[in-house]
């Protein structure tokens, strides 16, 4: 008998939860989405297929990853495949006598499913072959929505690094710098602070470019007027952080265009919307109700037509995961979820404002993981 570490026990627990979740529909599960594989066994390589069946877990990978998999995949048997990992995994499933294996239809392409079915031998017969793989939906992703204490701790650290970077940037940014230079400094500092990578391509959008919700940093020089929006995150121990702050570069915070709301008014409205949504966070409240809490403030101020995206998303091993906080979403929030709250208002050709925090859903409400100031800042 091999002794199992705490880590091994944690993965076994997660694997058991997946099997219980798919239990009614399938005997086991084939997991190919890499963040799911990492969540269930610790393997971080770029080629891995995990098979969960009864109390067994097998990780199929290729020769480049054998050594890495042996170290990372705790409590899981590693198989070095000479064929594509998913093909060998399917052959193993057949050989093990499994008749019905679950897969995540939200992550498996039609062509991948074809490969899985083609890996089964003709001996099985057409009927058994076509019945082998059953779509059990995003079983692992749903599990991943609720973070355990260890995951919350890592997310807390990643969020804290984000806040420290923002503080640093406040002392660094000056008019005349390019957006790219700002992003470069932020990303360099992130690496020094221990980030494995950025969570996504850093957004630095100045002046009228702040009206683009996803304005990547360009060689545009930052002017001494208007808004500067920074949306960024770091990856620490595999977990992503995500935050947005919008600061003002000076000059009259009024807009020139006729009928365009003032910059200060828009900022205050977005901030109020953001805080209203955070106040609405509570286990049992639907994602749609949190979205509506933000949207209704902007509606009151005649700005809801300029809020063109959803209010937030779950964050963890992936930068965008469940739950989705959008209009009419009926999914209920649960304690242990880590989500973003990020309303924004974008006036095309003029300016935009977005404010985003990461929050942990607790038994009594929300704990903000990114407590950097949201007060109006003029650099
Ligand atoms: Zn963001
Ligand atoms: Zn976000």
């Amino acid at each position: 008998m091999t002794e199992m570490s705490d880590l091994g026990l944690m993965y076994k627990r997660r694997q058991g939860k997946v099997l219980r979740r798919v239990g009614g529909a399938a005997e086991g599960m084939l997991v190919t989405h890499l963040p799911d594989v990492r969540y269930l066994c610790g393997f971080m390589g770029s080629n891995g297929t995990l098979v969960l069946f009864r109390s067994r877990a097998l990780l199929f990978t290729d020769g480049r990853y054998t050594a890495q998999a042996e170290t990372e995949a705790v409590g899981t048997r590693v198989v070095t495949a000479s064929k594509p990992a998913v093909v060998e995994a399917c052959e193993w499933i057949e050989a093990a006598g499994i008749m019905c294996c679950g897969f995540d239809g939200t992550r498996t392409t039609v062509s991948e499913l074809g490969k899985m079915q083609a890996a089964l031998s003709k001996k099985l017969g057409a009927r058994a072959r076509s019945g082998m793989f059953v779509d059990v939906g995003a079983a692992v992703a749903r599990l991943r929505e609720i973070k355990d204490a260890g995951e919350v701790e890592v997310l807390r650290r990643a969020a804290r690094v984000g806040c420290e970077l923002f503080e640093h940037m406040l002392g660094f940014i000056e008019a005349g710098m390019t957006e790219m230079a700002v992003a470069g400094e932020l990303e360099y500092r992130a690496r020094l602070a221990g980030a494995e990578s950025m969570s996504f391509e850093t957004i630095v959008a100045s002046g009228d470019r702040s009206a683009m919700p996803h304005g990547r940093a360009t060689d545009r020089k930052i002017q001494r007027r208007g808004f500067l929006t920074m949306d960024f995150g770091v990856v620490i121990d595999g977990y992503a952080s995500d935050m947005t702050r919008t600061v003002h570069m000076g000059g009259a915070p009024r807009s020139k265009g006729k009928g365009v709301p003032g910059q200060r008014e828009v900022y205050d409205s977005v901030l109020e919307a953001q805080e209203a949504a955070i106040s609405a966070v509570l286990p049992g409240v639907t994602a749609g109700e949190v979205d509506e809490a933000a949207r209704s403030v902007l509606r009151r101020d005649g700005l809801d037509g300029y809020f063109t995206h959803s209010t937030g998303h779950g964050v963890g091993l992936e930068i965008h995961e469940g739950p989705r906080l959008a209009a009419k979403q009926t999914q209920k929030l649960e304690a242990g979820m880590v989500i973003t709250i990020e309303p924004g208002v974008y006036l095309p050709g003029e300016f935009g404002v977005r404010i985003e925090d990461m929050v942990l859903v607790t038994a009594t409400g929300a704990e903000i993981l990114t407590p950097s100031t949201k007060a109006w800042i003029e650099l």
Side-chain angles (χ1 to χ4, degrees):
M1 225 176 95
T2 52
E3 221 178 290
M4 206 177 280
S5 64
D6 289 352
L7 218 50
L9 286 171
M10 178 186 82
Y11 293 130
K12 278 281 164 240
R13 228 180 355 254
R14 291 178 180 174
Q15 292 165 10
K17 280 187 186 167
V18 172
L19 288 175
R20 276 196 295 283
R21 194 173 265 269
V22 305
E27 298 165 72
M29 183 153 182
L30 180 75
V31 183
T32 53
H33 183 52
L34 290 169
D36 289 346
V37 171
R38 177 171 183 166
Y39 180 76
L40 292 171
C41 76
F43 177 61
M44 298 179 223
S46 68
N47 179 27
T49 295
L50 184 69
V51 177
L52 302 180
F53 175 54
R54 292 195 185 146
S55 57
R56 303 171 74 174
L58 286 92
L59 174 69
F60 294 81
T61 184
D62 65 72
R64 294 170 301 162
Y65 287 119
T66 309
Q68 184 182 333
E70 302 274 7
T71 320
E72 291 173 348
V74 185
T76 300
R77 206 182 116 205
V78 175
V79 181
T80 304
S82 47
K83 298 176 193 167
V86 69
V87 169
E88 259 182 58
C90 293
E91 290 174 354
W92 184 88
I93 287 167
E94 181 184 338
I98 299 175
M99 302 296 288
C100 182
C101 181
F103 71 96
D104 180 350
T106 70
R107 291 289 179 186
T108 306
T109 64
V110 172
S111 114
E112 277 161 356
L113 180 59
K115 274 187 206 134
M116 283 154 54
Q117 282 163 341
L120 303 174
S121 74
K122 297 278 184 288
K123 280 191 307 219
L124 268 184
R127 213 178 149 150
R129 280 210 305 278
S130 70
M132 176 67 89
F133 297 108
V134 193
D135 183 358
V136 292
V140 187
R142 294 308 289 268
L143 208 61
R144 282 174 41 202
E145 289 179 356
I146 316 286
K147 274 67 183 175
D148 63 33
E151 292 183 288
V152 169
E153 209 34 63
V154 178
L155 283 163
R156 208 186 282 283
R157 262 167 45 213
R160 198 179 307 134
V161 169
C163 291
E164 285 162 7
L165 290 171
F166 176 66
E167 301 285 311
H168 170 76
M169 294 312 289
L170 290 180
F172 176 83
I173 296 166
E174 278 175 25
M177 286 175 178
T178 64
E179 294 170 349
M180 219 98 90
V182 169
E185 172 74 7
L186 192 145
E187 294 182 0
Y188 171 66
R189 292 282 162 178
R191 294 293 268 192
L192 291 185
E196 295 160 19
S197 65
M198 303 309 287
S199 303
F200 52 90
E201 217 173 322
T202 301
I203 291 171
V204 178
S206 67
D208 58 1
R209 292 191 71 254
S210 62
M212 292 192 282
H214 282 136
R216 287 173 183 155
T218 65
D219 57 4
R220 154 93 75 102
K221 280 202 170 81
I222 296 166
Q223 307 292 304
R224 198 174 294 287
R225 63 173 177 273
F227 284 119
L228 175 71
T229 298
M230 285 178 285
D231 185 352
F232 61 95
V234 296
V235 177
I236 304 263
D237 286 347
Y239 285 78
S241 76
D242 189 7
M243 68 184 282
T244 307
R245 288 293 184 270
T246 301
V247 298
H248 203 265
M249 294 304 298
R254 277 182 283 110
S255 304
K256 288 197 207 85
K258 247 200 159 156
V260 176
Q263 297 181 5
R264 185 64 200 248
E265 287 73 20
V266 169
Y267 188 90
D268 289 344
S269 189
V270 170
L271 179 55
E272 192 183 331
Q274 204 256 359
E275 290 179 335
I278 291 176
S279 300
V281 170
L282 191 70
V285 165
T286 67
E289 286 169 317
V290 175
D291 180 89
E292 178 56 22
R295 222 167 279 279
S296 63
V297 170
L298 299 176
R299 194 178 298 122
R300 180 201 66 196
D301 295 344
L303 296 170
D304 55 315
Y306 303 106
F307 176 24
T308 46
H309 53 76
S310 54
T311 291
H313 53 87
V315 57
L317 282 171
E318 289 177 278
I319 180 64
H320 290 122
E321 47 183 60
R324 205 169 98 78
L325 284 87
K328 300 190 171 69
Q329 288 285 315
T330 55
Q331 183 177 1
K332 288 191 167 75
L333 297 186
E334 293 174 60
M337 286 177 167
V338 174
I339 55 176
T340 70
I341 301 288
E342 51 179 308
V345 163
Y346 313 93
L347 299 157
E350 298 282 345
F351 64 87
V353 173
R354 178 167 64 258
I355 302 170
E356 173 181 27
D357 280 318
M358 255 167 91
V359 310
L360 167 69
V361 183
T362 68
T364 52
E367 179 196 332
I368 297 176
L369 303 183
T370 45
S372 291
T373 183
K374 294 181 273 192
W376 173 271
I377 291 176
E378 203 167 302
L379 290 180

